[in-house]
Amino acid sequence: MFLKKSPCPAHITRDDFYVGGKVLLYSRELDIIDYGDSKTRDRLHHQAQHVTAVLPASSYASWGKIIDEVMHNFNLTQIRSVQIPPNTADRICRSIDDHARKSIELGEGVALSLLFHGENAFDRFATIVGKFRDQQNVYIAYAKNGIQSSDLQEIVFNELSSSTATLDNCTCCIIKPHAVKAKNAGPIIDAIISQGYEISAMRTLLFERVQAEEFLEVYKSVVPEYADHVVQLCSGMSIALEIRAQQAVETFRVTAGPWDVDMAKELRPDSLRGKFGQSRVLNAVHCTDLPDDAELECEYCFRLLQ
């Protein structure tokens, strides 16, 4: 084995390195599966508190704002939409010592589960929860300690494994890794919700290269920068959304804006790509191009990928 020290690329930061994450380093996709040694584990694992939270459907209008707070204060690990049966909602309230009446709120509609970590995360997130409760009367179910977080994580990320995707009157949107890393996912989701769309399913994804090539294959002969789009899609965490509306594909394409970011900034500066895009490859979001592909793309992201 030959080892050589090399400068760290400018796009790589300390926040990119966490167990379960992925980094693209000198054209190589690296999955971070564990700490390198016990000393590193003892130092970093002790500092990080892992928090599990659930945003009920009643908080839907604030999902983007809450995600924005999480991403600016902690390291986001996972997002997944869930449908919580009444008996499971009761268990969640008991496990986190919330009032039993809140189980009704948790069991109505599609909820959003979050997993994130950071130093002193339980106390710091409690402050964020208090702000949303006091200012907007928003209820957030969340773990207050490590035991509660482990129990809640087991329920919402393992037991509730069924997808909430409807595959009906839908389009697929993927917030690209560069936009997630730039902490623009919250504002993008907030913009989508504020325009009246229904987000019926949401999850974080870490595309392998083969998966990214399969997903984008239909665009291979259409987009000149196809290979670069594949590299971008598998360069880190992305967030997939199933979005529902009348004529969802055509309508959301207008919301996303032109594929070419320069054109988007000139012609549709308020579009998602006009606001958050950087280039033709780093254009913030992928969205379904043709109606016939919408169900296939949503199915790929929410039912075929595990």
Side-chain angles (χ1 to χ4, degrees):
M1 179 183 293
F2 177 75
L3 299 178
K4 178 183 177 182
K5 287 186 177 181
S6 300
C8 183
H11 71 278
I12 298 291
T13 67
R14 179 179 176 181
D15 291 343
D16 295 319
F17 293 91
Y18 59 90
V19 175
K22 175 189 284 191
V23 292
L24 185 68
L25 196 59
Y26 291 107
S27 301
R28 296 193 176 190
E29 301 166 24
L30 303 178
D31 295 311
I32 303 173
I33 59 174
D34 204 350
Y35 296 98
D37 52 54
S38 58
K39 185 175 181 180
T40 305
R41 174 188 292 275
D42 291 342
R43 181 172 181 179
L44 298 183
H45 192 71
H46 176 73
Q47 293 177 1
Q49 295 179 338
H50 297 257
V51 181
T52 310
V54 181
L55 314 182
S58 61
S59 68
Y60 178 71
S62 300
W63 279 8
K65 296 179 179 65
I66 296 169
I67 290 171
D68 191 43
E69 288 277 3
V70 167
M71 297 192 73
H72 277 88
N73 288 278
F74 311 100
N75 292 318
L76 180 67
T77 306
Q78 194 172 357
I79 292 177
R80 197 172 76 198
S81 55
V82 291
Q83 194 99 38
I84 305 176
N87 61 329
T88 305
D90 290 337
R91 284 176 55 209
I92 289 174
C93 287
R94 289 196 301 270
S95 71
I96 60 176
D97 296 328
D98 270 7
H99 198 287
R101 284 181 298 188
K102 291 297 184 183
S103 66
I104 299 175
E105 198 166 345
L106 282 175
E108 293 178 342
V110 173
L112 195 65
S113 51
L114 309 177
L115 179 64
F116 51 91
H117 64 274
E119 191 170 352
N120 196 28
F122 292 113
D123 289 342
R124 289 166 57 211
F125 187 62
T127 301
I128 293 172
V129 170
K131 181 180 75 171
F132 278 94
R133 181 188 62 236
D134 297 341
Q135 296 179 2
Q136 303 178 34
N137 196 29
V138 169
Y139 168 59
I140 301 173
Y142 70 102
K144 286 82 173 176
N145 57 54
I147 295 175
Q148 290 184 2
S149 189
S150 295
D151 292 343
L152 186 55
Q153 180 180 344
E154 175 64 26
I155 294 172
V156 297
F157 286 107
N158 295 332
E159 292 183 19
L160 300 177
S161 57
S162 298
S163 169
T164 63
T166 66
L167 308 183
D168 176 56
N169 290 330
C170 63
T171 189
C172 182
C173 170
I174 296 179
I175 304 175
K176 293 187 172 183
H178 79 91
V180 173
K181 186 173 181 179
K183 305 186 189 304
N184 286 328
I188 289 173
I189 292 168
D190 191 52
I192 292 169
I193 291 173
S194 67
Q195 293 188 46
Y197 291 101
E198 174 192 352
I199 299 176
S200 46
M202 187 188 311
R203 65 175 296 195
T204 46
L205 289 172
L206 291 169
F207 279 90
E208 301 292 340
R209 187 178 186 89
V210 172
Q211 295 168 340
E213 289 173 343
E214 287 179 348
F215 182 78
L216 296 173
E217 186 175 8
V218 67
Y219 304 96
K220 189 172 184 177
S221 60
V222 179
V223 180
E225 305 88 353
Y226 167 78
D228 294 328
H229 283 283
V230 169
V231 171
Q232 165 57 203
L233 194 58
C234 61
S235 66
M237 179 188 292
S238 57
I239 300 177
L241 314 172
E242 182 192 65
I243 296 173
R244 302 185 74 225
Q246 292 296 322
Q247 296 183 318
V249 173
E250 297 88 343
T251 304
F252 190 73
R253 281 180 59 190
V254 175
T255 299
W259 187 284
D260 187 313
V261 167
D262 290 336
M263 187 181 297
K265 291 183 183 298
E266 179 70 24
L267 300 179
R268 293 195 56 81
D270 292 332
S271 66
L272 299 179
R273 288 168 175 154
K275 286 182 176 179
F276 304 106
Q278 299 175 26
S279 67
R280 287 174 62 91
V281 174
L282 306 181
N283 60 353
V285 296
H286 162 86
C287 67
T288 306
D289 192 46
L290 299 173
D292 289 345
D293 295 329
E295 290 183 17
L296 295 173
E297 291 191 3
C298 287
E299 183 177 31
Y300 191 87
C301 290
F302 292 100
R303 297 192 178 176
L304 298 181
L305 291 182
Q306 299 296 327

